[in-house]
Amino acid sequence: MQRIFLIGYMGAGKTTMGKELSRRMGLSFIDLDHFIEGRYHKSVRQLFEEKGEDAFREIERNALLEIADFEDVVISTGGGAPCFHQNMEFMNEKGTTVYLKATVEELAKRVSLSKNTRPILMGLSDTDLELFITDALKKRSYFYEQAEITFDAEMMETEADIIALGKQLESTLSNHKK
Ligand code: S3P
């Protein structure tokens, strides 16, 4: 039985890599944010706006508890998920955690176009975005670095990059003994 959790900051490519990896490995794919949105019939942005971040983190924790029982699955988590309610510890108990790591510049470039759908980044200018991410990573790296595998996700521009990275991650996972 395999259960793989992809973690990392917004824009790290968790959903893209999760889909590719699950396809390669013949596993199911679940995106934690999409699971929550389906459950509540609301976007993550709406949940943040209506209930506030603390309530969202509770919802996220409960959804994670539920999903973490699924078998033969690749799970991509929201960027904040590992940093609240001992979720990192929990994911390490339940499966194999992979931190998709990229530089601040690359993350900022990737989220720049979609920042208005991401409640935490809404309204930030591109300059502020880099500063904001630098600061966030200072706090969040402590959690992200508890992942069993840290994987370089910097080069993810083309379809070919994604396929190559998926192959590399699959091989890293097959050599990884839990
Ligand atoms: C968040 C990341 C988002 C989503 C929410 C909060 C965060 O997920 O869960 O907007 O705190 O980093 P993605 O990392 O999939 O964008």
Side-chain angles (χ1 to χ4, degrees):
M1 193 278 290
Q2 282 195 288
R3 187 180 295 120
I4 298 157
F5 294 96
L6 300 184
I7 67 156
Y9 200 70
M10 290 176 263
K14 299 171 300 260
T15 306
T16 308
M17 195 41 60
K19 284 183 183 159
E20 174 61 12
L21 193 65
S22 62
R23 187 191 63 78
R24 289 194 73 89
M25 297 178 72
L27 303 172
S28 307
F29 171 68
I30 303 243
D31 178 279
L32 182 60
D33 281 337
H34 291 164
F35 181 82
I36 293 169
E37 289 177 337
R39 218 4 106 74
Y40 283 79
H41 301 285
K42 286 188 175 170
S43 66
V44 166
R45 178 181 165 174
Q46 275 173 311
L47 289 169
F48 257 77
E49 280 168 5
E50 289 171 17
K51 297 177 185 286
E53 178 166 0
D54 289 353
F56 175 77
R57 297 303 174 193
E58 286 283 337
I59 291 171
E60 183 176 57
R61 164 70 174 170
N62 291 330
L64 184 64
L65 286 177
E66 206 175 318
I67 283 181
D69 276 334
F70 297 173
E71 301 195 338
D72 293 319
V73 72
V74 177
I75 299 166
S76 71
T77 62
C83 317
F84 294 86
H85 299 295
Q86 271 91 46
N87 289 342
M88 195 63 220
E89 219 176 300
F90 175 68
M91 289 189 277
N92 276 330
E93 277 164 23
K94 297 293 285 190
T96 305
T97 49
V98 179
Y99 170 27
L100 297 185
K101 191 170 182 176
T103 59
V104 170
E105 294 72 28
E106 185 60 26
L107 294 170
K109 195 171 92 191
R110 290 186 200 161
V111 296
S112 162
L113 290 174
S114 60
K115 61 186 180 212
N116 289 333
T117 62
R118 292 177 150 109
I120 291 196
L121 306 176
M122 245 159 24
L124 291 174
S125 70
D126 282 348
T127 328
D128 287 348
L129 196 56
E130 284 210 14
L131 293 172
F132 186 88
I133 296 175
T134 304
D135 197 48
L137 284 181
K138 276 188 200 146
K139 297 173 199 141
R140 289 188 173 185
S141 296
Y142 167 77
F143 299 97
Y144 294 159
E145 277 160 14
Q146 292 171 38
E148 289 166 30
I149 295 170
T150 295
F151 188 76
D152 185 349
E154 184 80 0
M155 260 309 280
M156 221 192 268
E157 214 155 300
T158 64
E159 195 62 29
D161 293 339
I162 294 161
I163 291 171
L165 278 189
K167 193 170 174 190
Q168 202 184 315
L169 183 51
E170 184 183 15
S171 133
T172 305
L173 282 159
S174 70
N175 292 325
H176 175 78
K177 297 276 169 289
K178 184 131 173 117

